[in-house]
Amino acid sequence: MEHLIRPDGLPPVNGYSHAVRFSGAMVAVSGQVPVDGAGQLIGADDPEAQVRQVFTNLAAALAAAGSGLDRVVKLTVYLTDLADLAVFRTVRDEFIDPAAPPASSLVQVSGLVHPAFRVEVDALAVA
């Protein structure tokens, strides 16, 4: 896997690569939300707790598929409030190596499937 964080001519980044080159089997992980294994919402009014649960779920889904957070090549992040972006980045950097970040997209959405969800993340990874 090769992280092309900032190829010549592209703008600066904050925690993502403009491109990631890889080979091997691909793992697609559905959007993970801030719900634990018992189906309980984590952090109803706490964006940090929600992001942490989302990455915990993402790690578990990747592990089940024989991959891991260090093998993620693309993240898509959905936030309902861009005021949560700084918290998202801080927690993300606890789970994803900032020296080898995946390609990423961030989208502000008006809502997610449950009105208390503030964040959802899906991923593509190498097995």
Side-chain angles (χ1 to χ4, degrees), residues 89-111:
R89 286 176 173 160
T90 298
V91 175
R92 174 204 60 202
D93 291 351
E94 295 173 16
F95 288 87
I96 302 289
D97 180 3
S104 297
S105 297
L106 174 81
V107 181
Q108 182 180 18
V109 294
S110 61

Side-chain angles (χ1 to χ4, degrees), residues 1-2 20-27 71 73-74 124-127:
M1 199 169 14
E2 179 184 5
V20 178
R21 183 185 342 225
F22 65 94
S23 62
M26 175 68 68
V27 176
R71 309 283 292 157
V73 297
K74 174 76 165 67
L124 296 175
V126 179

Side-chain angles (χ1 to χ4, degrees), residues 77-82 107-120:
V77 179
Y78 306 93
L79 293 177
T80 59
D81 188 342
L82 289 182
V107 181
Q108 182 180 18
V109 294
S110 61
L112 294 165
V113 70
H114 186 290
F117 293 170
R118 300 173 70 100
V119 60
E120 182 172 339

